[in-house]
Amino acid sequence: MSDGHISEPASQDHGHEHPKHELSRYAKRIYAIRDLLLEKGVITEKDIRCQIEYQEARSPANGAKLVARAWVDPNFKSRLISDPKAACAEMSIDATSINEFVVLENTEKVRHMVVCTLCSCYPRPILGRPPDWYKSFNYRSRAVNDPRGVMREFGLDLPDDAEVRVHDSTADIRYLVLPLRPKGSEGLGELELTRLVTRDSMIGVMDALPALPSHELATS
Ligand code: FE
């Protein structure tokens, strides 16, 4: 990753523990607190395992299900926008831990982009864990100063007459972008549509994936 650019890190930390001597000060502190809580019987290894499994089970697949349903069902879309948490419950997605949940509908003329300028506030029940770039100082500052430049980097080159609205997440408000349904996706079913809904399109830095012609979908 070069300076000034936002992209995925080469590798991501997915659960395995690093040798303790490689850990940062803060990570060492977390492990020390964990060990103390275990030693004092406040929590058990099973509690930790269950919590990790719960966290891992939350993924952008939840958001993709919501978006695809909204694309095929206008009534659901209205409910998703007017009462997002109730719409989540309809889809068996537990969004109750979010205080205020707002769904932002993209249009050809208005694109929404979500950032947390302060830290890493993110709709975890809907999108899982935030990507590293979302938490970076680089993204947190550039999303505000140059959102179009960030979008371009993700591959979305907006026309000049499209408005970009940047939304700052907080501990109280979490946002989900409802991306535009891709052109040419009219013949696709809900399940096929979920495959076009990327995490990044629900953060708003890019559009959903283009719909491939049906013969390409069949062989991909
Ligand atoms: Fe935050």
Side-chain angles (χ1 to χ4, degrees):
M1 186 164 91
S2 60
D3 282 346
H5 286 258
I6 298 159
S7 59
E8 290 288 2
S11 66
Q12 290 194 327
D13 177 12
H14 277 301
H16 72 276
E17 284 188 23
H18 296 282
K20 289 237 172 27
H21 65 273
E22 288 179 14
L23 296 172
S24 71
R25 210 174 125 224
Y26 296 107
K28 281 181 189 160
R29 188 162 72 184
I30 288 166
Y31 282 120
I33 292 169
R34 178 198 66 180
D35 292 346
L36 270 175
L37 291 170
L38 286 171
E39 196 181 302
K40 292 186 178 299
V42 179
I43 54 171
T44 64
E45 291 279 5
K46 189 179 171 209
D47 294 333
I48 296 171
R49 206 167 49 246
C50 288
Q51 186 56 225
I52 290 171
E53 280 167 13
Y54 171 67
Q55 299 290 344
E56 295 288 342
R58 306 189 304 176
S59 79
N62 283 342
K65 277 197 271 182
L66 294 169
V67 170
R69 174 65 59 87
W71 282 346
V72 298
D73 181 345
N75 291 326
F76 180 80
K77 185 171 96 172
S78 301
R79 294 198 294 281
L80 181 63
I81 291 167
S82 62
D83 190 350
K85 285 204 249 186
C88 286
E90 274 184 53
M91 300 284 285
S92 303
I93 296 168
D94 180 9
T96 51
S97 63
I98 301 178
N99 193 9
E100 189 176 345
F101 183 29
V102 176
V103 173
L104 308 158
E105 185 184 10
N106 271 354
T107 67
E108 292 291 349
K109 293 288 174 203
V110 179
R111 293 299 213 287
H112 300 280
M113 189 166 147
V114 180
V115 63
C116 172
T117 55
L118 197 61
C119 46
S120 58
C121 296
Y122 193 73
R124 289 172 188 248
I126 313 300
L127 297 183
R129 295 193 300 183
D132 285 353
W133 59 258
Y134 182 86
K135 298 181 274 186
S136 69
F137 178 74
N138 193 352
Y139 177 71
R140 291 189 283 123
S141 52
R142 286 190 52 215
V144 176
N145 293 327
D146 181 23
R148 284 170 189 275
V150 171
M151 286 173 167
R152 258 196 306 278
E153 222 168 271
F154 277 89
L156 175 60
D157 203 359
L158 285 182
D160 289 343
D161 63 346
E163 181 189 342
V164 177
R165 293 184 194 162
V166 178
H167 303 263
D168 196 2
S169 299
T170 67
D172 287 330
I173 304 183
R174 305 295 160 98
Y175 299 98
L176 174 75
V177 174
L178 175 55
L180 282 168
R181 181 170 176 166
K183 291 191 178 77
S185 69
E186 293 75 14
L188 299 183
E190 197 173 326
L191 185 62
E192 292 167 303
L193 288 170
T194 60
R195 297 185 189 126
L196 305 181
V197 187
T198 61
R199 174 195 67 199
D200 298 350
S201 71
M202 293 182 281
I203 299 173
V205 290
M206 62 178 289
D207 279 342
L209 297 175
L212 296 172
S214 54
H215 65 277
E216 286 184 43
L217 269 180
T219 55
S220 64

